[in-house]
């Protein structure tokens, strides 16, 4: 059994978490020994990658594992969008009860990203990611929220392999948010799974994976929502110290990505990870 590495998830940066708070959290994670960082072109309405890149560039590139994603393009950044995000953060800080209302506004059409498998758009997205992160290569480039129903996957796979041969990415993969087993079956059918890494939320399906999928390389995320559900159903996996070895035993899980913006939360997560390693 291999205990997954503990990864830092950056989806909240430049959304509910400000640039200053995000930078401070990244620096705490680096100081604590975290070396796996997960981001995406669409995070923070397109602004998260620059915050991540500015924090990480102080460290040796070869010591870091940087995962980013393409396939979801953020809305165009404007002064109005920046103001709206700042106001939303202030509202949530002083009135957490308004979270549902803020989420409704954020999910309106004006703020929604665009999904695409079009290669020219994906190439532009990757170039922006490299520039924002300040790196010459990406460790893992994932197709964000991959959907078996969307056409064009074969072309994306060909492009991924070209990038891999050129050294622009070390590996490619797919973020699967829907039916995990259906997604794996589809990727096998397209001959894309053998060389790929698959990012998925922690779930009962992942923890009871059939033997035929035990060789797939996974990055898991969103453990705390899963653990809350376990607690509500009076099941055993209610702590990170219990979940980490369960993941290592159930599948080939390389990393578990967590949102760790609070200093106490980071400390507790690192203590749990070290106790298992």
């Amino acid at each position: 059994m291999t205990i997954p590495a503990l990864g830092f998830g950056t989806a909240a940066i430049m959304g509910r978490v400000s640039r200053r708070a995000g930078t401070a959290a990244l620096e705490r994670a680096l100081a604590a020994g975290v070396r796996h960082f997960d981001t995406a072109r669409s995070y923070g309405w397109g602004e998260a990658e620059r915050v991540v890149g500015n924090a990480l560039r102080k460290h040796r590139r070869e010591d870091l594992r940087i995962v980013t994603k393409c396939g979801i393009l953020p809305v165009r950044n404007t002064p109005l969008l920046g103001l709206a995000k700042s106001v939303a953060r202030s509202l949530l800080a002083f009135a957490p009860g308004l979270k549902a209302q803020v989420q409704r506004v954020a999910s309106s059409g004006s703020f929604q990203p665009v999904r695409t498998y079009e290669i020219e758009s994906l190439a532009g997205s990757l170039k922006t990611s490299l520039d924002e992160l300040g790196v010459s290569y990406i460790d893992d480039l994932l197709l964000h929220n991959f959907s078996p129903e969307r056409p064009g996957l074969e072309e994306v796979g060909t492009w991924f392999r070209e990038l891999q041969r050129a050294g622009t990415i070390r590996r490619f993969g797919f973020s699967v948010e829907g039916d995990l087993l259906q997604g794996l079956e589809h990727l096998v059918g397209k001959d894309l799974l053998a060389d790929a890494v698959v990012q998925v939320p922690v779930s009962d399906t992942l923890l009871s994976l059939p033997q035929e999928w035990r060789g797939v390389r996974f990055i898991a995320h969103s453990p705390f929502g899963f653990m809350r559900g376990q607690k509500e159903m009076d099941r055993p996996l209610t702590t990170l110290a219990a979940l980490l070895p369960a993941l290592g035993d159930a599948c080939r899980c390389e990393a578990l990505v967590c949102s760790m913006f609070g200093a106490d939360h980071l400390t507790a997560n690192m203590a749990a990870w070290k106790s298992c390693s």
Side-chain angles (χ1 to χ4, degrees):
M1 180 177 65
T2 301
I3 299 298
L6 198 61
F8 189 101
T10 68
I13 292 177
M14 300 305 293
R16 67 174 178 83
V17 174
S18 68
R19 185 185 309 274
R20 179 179 296 179
T23 298
L26 287 163
E27 291 175 347
R28 283 194 298 267
L30 285 160
V34 175
R35 293 296 179 265
H36 180 116
F37 294 88
D38 180 276
T39 190
R41 179 82 291 274
S42 62
Y43 287 174
W45 283 273
E47 294 188 278
E49 285 179 319
R50 177 169 293 187
V51 178
V52 174
N54 287 339
L56 299 191
R57 68 186 55 176
K58 304 169 188 176
H59 295 261
R60 293 200 317 165
R61 175 67 183 92
E62 57 267 32
D63 292 339
L64 304 172
R65 182 176 179 185
I66 299 175
V67 180
T68 195
K69 309 174 195 74
C70 61
I72 300 182
L73 304 177
V75 296
R76 188 171 66 87
N77 193 21
T78 65
L80 180 60
L81 175 59
L83 177 62
K85 291 194 292 180
S86 179
V87 169
R89 284 193 290 269
S90 298
L91 283 173
L92 291 176
F94 290 103
L98 294 176
K99 182 177 180 180
Q101 291 92 320
V102 170
Q103 286 178 332
R104 276 199 297 273
V105 173
S107 62
S108 67
S110 301
F111 297 107
Q112 286 306 291
V114 175
R115 297 174 183 269
T116 180
Y117 284 8
E118 198 270 322
I119 300 303
E120 185 176 352
S121 296
L122 296 180
S125 174
L126 174 58
K127 182 182 184 305
T128 302
S129 291
L130 291 166
D131 291 343
E132 296 287 84
L133 290 164
V135 297
S136 60
Y137 68 92
I138 301 296
D139 292 287
D140 296 322
L141 179 64
L142 310 180
L143 185 62
H144 206 168
N145 287 17
F146 146 73
S147 171
E149 294 79 25
R150 185 178 289 272
L153 188 64
E154 296 91 339
E155 291 80 2
V156 175
T158 299
W159 178 65
F160 275 159
R161 289 192 167 111
E162 290 171 354
L163 293 171
Q164 196 173 31
R165 286 192 293 270
T168 308
I169 65 174
R170 295 291 185 261
R171 297 190 305 183
F172 63 84
F174 304 89
S175 161
V176 179
E177 298 299 317
D179 186 305
L180 173 56
L181 299 184
Q182 179 189 17
L184 295 176
E185 290 279 7
H186 191 79
L187 291 170
V188 164
K190 300 295 185 181
D191 193 28
L192 289 170
L193 189 59
D195 301 326
V197 60
V198 177
Q199 181 165 296
V200 293
V202 179
S203 66
D204 288 325
T205 302
L206 183 63
L207 288 162
S208 58
L209 209 61
Q211 188 63 41
E212 65 183 296
W213 306 117
R214 292 294 185 94
V216 177
R217 294 171 294 188
F218 287 101
I219 299 170
H221 68 88
S222 305
F224 301 109
F226 173 80
M227 291 189 293
R228 283 193 295 272
Q230 291 279 296
K231 188 173 183 178
E232 291 168 2
M233 292 183 283
D234 197 25
R235 292 180 176 177
L237 297 180
T238 59
T239 67
L240 206 59
L243 181 60
L244 281 162
L247 279 170
D249 190 52
C251 60
R252 190 179 172 185
C253 185
E254 298 181 347
L256 177 62
V257 176
C258 305
S259 176
M260 300 184 284
F261 290 95
D264 291 345
H265 193 195
L266 170 66
T267 299
N269 289 351
M270 291 300 294
W273 180 73
K274 289 176 180 177
S275 72
C276 299
S277 301

